Amino acid sequence: MLNFSLTPEQTALRDKARRFALDEVLPIAWHYDEKDELPLYILRRAWEEGIMNLTIPATYGGQGRGLLESALVVEEISAACAGLATSIFDNSLGAEPLMLTRNGKLREKILPLLAREFKLICFATSEPLAGSDVAGMRCKAEKSGDDYILNGTKYWITNSGVADYFSIFATVDPSLGHKGIAAFLVEKGQAGVTVGRTIPKLGQRSSNTAGIHLVNVRVPAENVLAQPGEGFVMAMTTFARTRPIIGSFGVGAARTAMELAIDYAKKRRAFGARLSDFQAIDFKIAEMYQKVETARLLTWKAAWENDAGMDPTISASIAKFYATEAAFEVVSEALQIFGGYGYTRLFPVEKLLRDMRLPMIYEGTSEIQRVVVSRYLLEGYRPVMPPIEDFPLLAQHDVHLEKDTVAWRCRICGHTHYGPEPPEECPHCFFPKAAFRKVWPRG
């Protein structure tokens, strides 16, 4: 039985995140966007408030929350600043390989540390020449006894400039594609690790993004997250578990854009009336709400599937590309309602627009999500209806359908013939008898 109500605990967590967003994130969001700088103290405050690292299991000292709780929190933080929401949630992304690894000792060493101390961990698959094409990475991992030596560059890495740990994905042989990928835990300050300058971005400027350069970085055997051939599956499983939350970034920002547009439409007057008195504006606002509500439901569904132990891959992809694209559309329409003021940096909508251009790109572009979904539909989806050549297009005016009625359908043009045997030739397309299939009775 479906139930979309939140538990008292979930409601309390959402309300805590909402207060944090309004009291601590919103007042400084535009300031740090202008500075193009991550306010690290906000991440520390999020950790202190218990709205970071939500999914670390209780057995390791964490809260053991589900992805649905993460979705609730991220929506509220993103409503105030999507960039800071990205940096706060990035710890869950970076820690996911630790929760998936078969290296129990490493898991038992690091996860409790993240739970009890303010430590940051980031996730590094992307490279300067390999973003969505994870299997095309070139960062090299060379075996050295029981250890590995890493050489290469990871790029577009959220929080890499401030992280204490890096979940690094590299390949033992680029020619092996996904079969050569492994994963490693690298610590800040290790010899040969250099973090690049902050990458200047269009939006989400209060979220730190930089490259990581690795030169002869030795990773001991005890820090291997995934052996060669297992890393690609680990990365894809991680994305399936975290992509629903990208939908929450969109829901939060879109919700704010909608609320701002409603407020402005009620107050702004033109042609002797409020903007909200014009049906064209009302329709825009109604469609905004429809998109926010739809995006939230898709995001919750994907998060619920993950929490229920189901494979959330398809739902996660749908939630990500729908919610992020819908968010950009909602913010764009909000800016249209604000008119020229919306285009200025004196009003808040332009930042929302800049921030919402990114979620359609990171953690797999919208195009990649469409590839994932279309492959499932074309190769794995099990239809309910019969195939078209077996579809019983039976017309009542042609014949009274008694139990002994037999119907044949031409596989070429669709003509239905009634009788114990198909015709020698189709009267429409002239294909021979062999073109007909019996469609009635079934079986």
Side-chain angles (χ1 to χ4, degrees), residues 51 78 91 109 125 145 157 209 228 249 260 273 350 419:
I51 54 177
S78 185
N91 242 39
K109 173 185 176 183
T125 54
I157 312 305
T209 310
F249 292 126
L260 293 171
E350 63 85 25

Side-chain angles (χ1 to χ4, degrees), residues 219-401:
V219 180
E222 57 265 27
N223 278 18
V224 175
L225 288 164
Q227 294 293 338
E230 299 176 348
F232 182 80
V233 174
M234 174 178 281
M236 294 302 102
T237 304
T238 295
F239 288 143
R241 293 189 179 190
T242 59
R243 274 177 181 155
I245 305 306
I246 310 303
S248 292
F249 292 126
V251 174
R255 192 188 78 197
T256 294
M258 177 191 71
E259 291 174 354
L260 293 171
I262 291 170
D263 183 60
Y264 190 76
K266 286 179 177 180
K267 296 173 180 175
R268 174 73 169 176
R269 298 186 69 85
F271 304 102
R274 299 181 307 173
L275 290 185
S276 60
D277 293 330
F278 296 98
Q279 192 178 64
I281 302 299
D282 294 348
F283 281 9
K284 286 181 185 294
I285 291 171
E287 289 175 1
M288 288 178 185
Y289 188 56
Q290 170 251 315
K291 289 173 181 175
V292 169
E293 288 291 295
T294 304
R296 183 184 291 115
L297 288 173
L298 287 170
T299 298
W300 282 13
K301 177 178 183 287
W304 172 82
E305 286 184 358
N306 175 82
D307 294 343
M310 303 164 64
D311 181 358
T313 300
I314 302 303
S315 292
S317 287
I318 294 171
K320 183 186 185 297
F321 81 70
Y322 179 84
T324 56
E325 291 177 6
F328 190 76
E329 292 166 2
V330 168
V331 178
S332 181
E333 287 287 51
L335 192 150
Q336 188 72 15
I337 290 173
F338 273 80
Y341 286 114
Y343 198 67
T344 71
R345 303 197 73 170
L346 302 173
F347 279 67
V349 185
E350 63 85 25
K351 176 181 179 295
L352 295 173
L353 190 72
R354 289 186 288 108
D355 285 350
M356 280 302 99
R357 190 59 188 87
L358 179 59
M360 292 183 282
I361 297 173
Y362 62 17
E363 282 208 37
T365 63
S366 289
E367 290 74 19
I368 290 296
Q369 306 316 315
R370 285 173 166 83
V371 169
V372 171
V373 175
S374 63
R375 282 180 179 171
Y376 163 70
L377 292 172
L378 294 172
E379 299 172 8
Y381 178 80
R382 298 183 64 180
V384 175
M385 291 291 115
I388 191 167
E389 64 267 20
D390 293 334
F391 215 94
L393 291 176
L394 307 176
Q396 188 175 6
H397 66 272
D398 286 340
V399 65
H400 183 64
L401 298 178

Side-chain angles (χ1 to χ4, degrees), residues 143-220:
K143 200 83 163 70
S144 176
D146 292 332
D147 302 342
Y148 282 88
I149 306 297
L150 303 185
N151 281 283
T153 300
K154 312 305 291 186
Y155 207 60
W156 312 113
I157 312 305
T158 300
N159 285 358
S160 60
V162 295
D164 300 286
Y165 301 99
F166 312 93
S167 294
I168 300 284
F169 290 76
T171 180
V172 294
D173 184 352
S175 68
L176 295 176
H178 68 276
K179 294 180 180 179
I181 296 175
F184 311 89
L185 185 75
V186 174
E187 299 185 31
K188 180 180 181 179
Q190 274 188 242
V193 178
T194 304
V195 177
R197 294 181 180 179
T198 299
I199 300 170
K201 307 188 297 293
L202 172 70
Q204 301 209 12
R205 291 159 54 87
S206 56
S207 175
N208 173 264
T209 310
I212 305 170
H213 192 50
L214 307 164
V215 178
N216 295 325
V217 176
R218 179 173 290 275
V219 180

Side-chain angles (χ1 to χ4, degrees), residues 13-47:
L13 179 64
R14 182 202 62 191
D15 291 347
K16 177 195 282 190
R18 183 172 293 178
R19 288 192 299 271
F20 182 82
L22 290 173
D23 295 344
E24 305 205 36
V25 177
L26 188 63
I28 54 89
W30 272 258
H31 172 72
Y32 283 97
D33 177 78
E34 288 279 356
K35 291 185 70 175
D36 195 4
E37 180 181 310
L38 168 68
L40 190 59
Y41 78 93
I42 289 290
L43 272 63
R44 178 180 287 276
R45 286 287 299 121
W47 178 79

Side-chain angles (χ1 to χ4, degrees), residues 378-426:
L378 294 172
E379 299 172 8
Y381 178 80
R382 298 183 64 180
V384 175
M385 291 291 115
I388 191 167
E389 64 267 20
D390 293 334
F391 215 94
L393 291 176
L394 307 176
Q396 188 175 6
H397 66 272
D398 286 340
V399 65
H400 183 64
L401 298 178
E402 303 290 352
K403 290 183 178 179
D404 57 351
T405 297
V406 179
W408 306 81
R409 179 173 165 83
C410 177
R411 291 181 289 116
I412 306 303
C413 72
H415 167 65
T416 301
H417 171 82
Y418 299 93
E421 296 291 334
E424 293 298 322
E425 181 180 82
C426 179

